[in-house]
Amino acid sequence: QVQLVQSGAEVKKPGASVKVSCKTSGYTFTSSYIHWVRQAPGQGLEWMGIINPNGGYTRYTQRFQGRVTMTTDTSTSTVYMELSSLRSDDTALFYCARGKDYATTDYWGQGTLVAVSS
Amino acid sequence: DIQMTQSPSSLSASVGDRVTITCRASHGVSNNLAWFQQKPGKAPKSLIYAASTLHSGVPSKFSGSGSRTDFTLTISSLQPEDSATYYCQQYDSSPFTFGPGTKVDI
């Protein structure tokens, strides 16, 4: 069965970077895009961007442009999302989700909490 | 960017009720609209894509309709396990924006 398992919670200081992993299984890794979604505490969902594991094409929302980098490791079927220059308002849950096709998502990871605090 | 709005922001209903949530896009998105359910402390669950197509395993009590700018999610025969926040998302053009969510209490 399709599974997306994310890395554990992180605590970072302002200005630091965080790299969240999303290990996939149960399907052909290069056949599906991966989306990343952010959810601040008590807030709604915010789409961050998308990566195609087949070739590495990425598209980021402008809000995160310049601070976010999405990468893949095909040898381990893992996708990474790195967010730099962290601020306190970056404290959030980060989710990866598989793209059923380019844009629609079907399976989600369990979420990774990133807390930014001095 | 396409802005998404939802109404109501919250609702309270009884077991067995039929509830409808509305989602509106600031520009036409064709039928490129998805619905998600999120329970407290859990990851979102994909319910519907292409405005009205249920993902595999989603109960038929969920249904979606609409096109262009106006969409609805209907839950028939509400059950306690349907208590959640429901989000719409357009994926017609990047960034794929979400609505603010509708909290459904039973």
Side-chain angles (χ1 to χ4, degrees), chain B residues 45-95:
Chain B
K45 175 184 177 182
S46 299
L47 295 178
I48 288 171
Y49 64 99
S52 61
T53 304
L54 267 60
H55 278 287
S56 174
V58 174
S60 59
K61 65 179 176 180
F62 293 96
S63 63
S65 65
S67 66
R68 288 203 70 250
T69 61
D70 294 294
F71 302 87
T72 60
L73 171 70
T74 299
I75 311 171
S76 64
S77 189
L78 205 63
Q79 297 300 310
E81 62 267 23
D82 300 325
S83 179
T85 299
Y86 294 84
Y87 296 92
C88 62
Q89 182 201 28
Q90 68 80 21
Y91 52 90
D92 190 67
S93 65
S94 177

Side-chain angles (χ1 to χ4, degrees), chain A residues 39 47 100 104-106 108-109, chain B residues 36 38 46 49 55 91 96:
Chain A
Q39 186 170 37
W47 187 80
K100 178 179 168 63
T104 60
T105 52
D106 51 9
W108 290 65
Chain B
F36 302 87
Q38 187 178 33
S46 299
Y49 64 99
H55 278 287
Y91 52 90
F96 300 151

Side-chain angles (χ1 to χ4, degrees), chain A residues 19-57:
Chain A
K19 193 170 186 177
V20 178
S21 67
C22 172
K23 184 171 176 59
T24 71
S25 60
Y27 70 98
T28 302
F29 179 64
T30 53
S31 68
S32 298
Y33 287 77
I34 294 291
H35 300 243
W36 286 91
V37 173
R38 184 173 86 165
Q39 186 170 37
Q43 302 301 308
L45 304 172
E46 180 177 23
W47 187 80
M48 298 179 67
I50 189 171
I51 183 166
N52 182 357
N54 185 11
Y57 164 83

Side-chain angles (χ1 to χ4, degrees), chain A residues 6 39 95 108-111, chain B residues 37-46:
Chain A
Q6 298 183 225
Q39 186 170 37
Y95 293 101
W108 290 65
Q110 84 276 19
Chain B
Q37 175 194 64
Q38 187 178 33
K39 297 181 179 180
K42 299 294 186 181
K45 175 184 177 182
S46 299

